[in-house]
Amino acid sequence: MPMHNPPHPGKVLKELWMEPMGITITALAEAAGVTRKAMSELVNGKSGVSPEMAIRLSKIFNTEPELWLGMQMNRDLWVVKKKSSRIKVKRLAA
């Protein structure tokens, strides 16, 4: 059953890893080898998890990249499904 309003991976990152471990955006950006701006945008839900970022996060937190990509896919699909009635297509029959 699909999750209702799945959280953005950045929110999960912040609440389950950064806050409990006392990690700042700056420290995480440095550990990941990305800019502070890029990490801030992810943590604050303004950008998504790319496959490369999933690898970086999985190496930092000893998780699987599929965890991060799965969260992102679930979020993206939920967002698009909310507006799916506006997506117009023409059905094709065999």
Side-chain angles (χ1 to χ4, degrees):
M1 173 180 259
M3 183 182 289
H4 175 71
N5 193 8
H8 188 280
K11 181 178 181 177
V12 175
L13 175 61
K14 183 178 182 180
E15 292 179 1
L16 296 184
W17 278 279
M18 294 174 67
E19 288 175 350
M21 296 174 74
I23 300 170
T24 65
I25 289 175
T26 301
L28 185 55
E30 289 175 5
V34 300
T35 66
R36 186 190 185 291
K37 181 180 181 203
M39 190 57 70
S40 176
E41 288 178 354
L42 172 61
V43 170
N44 292 304
K46 295 181 179 164
S47 70
V49 174
S50 67
E52 183 176 322
M53 183 60 81
I55 295 288
R56 291 174 187 273
L57 293 172
S58 70
K59 287 183 174 188
I60 293 168
F61 296 110
N62 194 31
T63 60
E64 295 297 323
E66 291 83 2
L67 169 74
W68 303 101
L69 291 174
M71 281 191 277
Q72 187 64 56
M73 183 206 53
N74 288 337
R75 177 71 182 175
D76 291 347
L77 187 57
W78 181 82
V79 168
V80 172
K81 278 184 169 182
K82 283 191 342 181
K83 57 185 176 185
S84 66
S85 64
R86 293 182 284 183
I87 298 173
K88 304 300 179 198
V89 299
K90 179 180 176 183
R91 259 182 217 243
L92 298 176

